Amino acid sequence: MNNVAEKVTRIDGDAYEAAVAFASEHDLKISRVVSMAVRYFTENAEIKEVDVKAEKFCIGDKVVD
């Protein structure tokens, strides 16, 4: 495995903490866990487009969801 930082990117704090916990639990390097997760996601993710319609109903000044 060639462990070279191609580019440096930022990740959310909670994602980093999850990677740290997983790495500690399985005796892995954090960089290995992140690489595994990115590979898994790109091979298995399915993106679906969804139409979202938001409506608010008002009765006087009161908003009813």
Side-chain angles (χ1 to χ4, degrees):
M1 176 178 78
N2 189 3
N3 195 4
V4 176
E6 295 291 331
K7 292 186 178 184
V8 176
T9 188
R10 295 179 187 268
I11 63 172
D12 294 335
D14 60 332
Y16 181 78
E17 293 302 322
V20 169
F22 188 88
S24 295
E25 183 179 338
H26 298 283
D27 195 29
L28 298 168
K29 292 183 177 181
I30 297 167
S31 60
R32 178 79 174 129
V33 170
V34 172
S35 294
M36 290 166 54
V38 170
R39 283 189 198 99
Y40 180 83
F41 173 79
T42 58
E43 292 170 4
N44 297 291
E46 183 177 325
I47 306 297
K48 295 181 180 181
E49 290 187 31
V50 180
D51 291 331
V52 177
K53 184 177 180 181
E55 294 182 5
K56 289 184 180 179
F57 299 98
C58 298
I59 299 174
D61 293 335
K62 187 175 179 182
V63 177
V64 180
D65 294 318

